[in-house]
Structure formats: structure tokens, C-alpha cells
Amino acid sequence: MKKNKTKWVLGHKVTPHETTGDYDLMVGETPAKVQGPPPHLHNSFKESFLIIAGEMEFMVNGHIAIVREGESMDIPPNTLHTFANNSENPCKWVNIHSPKGFRSFFEKMGVCENEENAMNKSLTPEIINKVMATAAEYDMIIKV
């Protein structure tokens, strides 16, 4: 079994897990009061979130929903979305992208969890500019 490489990605701690299916599987942790990525869509990816602790606020095609522990959010391709933890408590979640391929975004844009100040480094203007400039290469179409 391969060791997972946990990284901080735009303020979220993300751990990828190996799969044999045609999907990427990540477990994430979002500290309290942390925003998500800019509103975006994926042309090809289906995406699902399962909240396993806390709650996350999702914006999906302009509609806001609070998804709590034990609940899920399913996001079809070509659906504008983002998320944020606006609560006072951390949120832990499972994220699936299908088909496989989006995991490389987390691996390339993330800061290794054992780096000093990894969370803060993942939010620097340099990283944010890199995400904005290359997101489309990962089928992440940003709409600001």
C-alpha cells in the first residue's frame, strides 16, 4: 500500500487515497472560517462531497446550501460551484472526482503538510496566481 501524501491546498488539508476504480478519492479537512476555491466548474468531472464532521457551505449554480455531518453534495459536470467552512468548527470531508484525473491538481498546487506554515503557504498570492493561471489545465474552469 502506498503512503498517502497529505498537502495543504488553498487552506484545506487534502489526503489522496489510491483507488482501483475510475475516480479520485480524497479526504479533506477545512479549518473554521476558511474559504474554498473560486467559483468554478468542471467540463468532464462529476464531483461528490460527503461531510463526515462539522459542516460546509456550498454554492451550486447560485444556490446556497449548508451540508452537515452525514450529508452529501453531488455536483454534475458543467455546474458552477464553490464551498467554504463559515462555521466556528473544523470540517472533515470525503471528496470524489470521476473520472480519474483531478487528483493531480491537489498534488501540484498543494504544500506538503510537514512544511513549516504549510496552511498559510497554501494561501500565498504566488500559489493563488498559479492556480488562476493553470486551473483550466486541470478542467477547473474558474468563473469570477
Side-chain angles (χ1 to χ4, degrees), residues 51-66:
I51 306 303
I52 52 179
E55 66 181 42
M56 190 77 80
E57 180 179 293
F58 285 85
M59 184 286 295
V60 179
N61 282 338
H63 300 284
I64 304 295
I66 306 295

Side-chain angles (χ1 to χ4, degrees), residues 51-99:
I51 306 303
I52 52 179
E55 66 181 42
M56 190 77 80
E57 180 179 293
F58 285 85
M59 184 286 295
V60 179
N61 282 338
H63 300 284
I64 304 295
I66 306 295
V67 181
R68 294 180 172 83
E69 182 176 330
E71 298 175 340
S72 62
M73 175 62 69
D74 193 52
I75 304 167
N78 298 306
T79 302
L80 186 66
H81 64 283
T82 189
F83 53 90
N85 181 0
N86 292 322
S87 77
E88 300 294 332
N89 299 303
C91 177
K92 192 168 185 178
W93 40 274
V94 174
N95 178 232
I96 297 171
H97 285 84
S98 175

Side-chain angles (χ1 to χ4, degrees), residues 14-63:
V14 179
T15 304
H17 290 267
E18 297 299 322
T19 68
T20 57
D22 192 19
Y23 61 93
D24 290 320
L25 174 67
M26 273 71 64
V27 174
E29 296 177 44
T30 303
K33 303 294 184 185
V34 169
Q35 295 301 304
H40 64 281
L41 58 83
H42 308 286
N43 290 313
S44 301
F45 294 117
K46 299 173 221 109
E47 187 172 12
S48 294
F49 288 84
L50 172 65
I51 306 303
I52 52 179
E55 66 181 42
M56 190 77 80
E57 180 179 293
F58 285 85
M59 184 286 295
V60 179
N61 282 338
H63 300 284

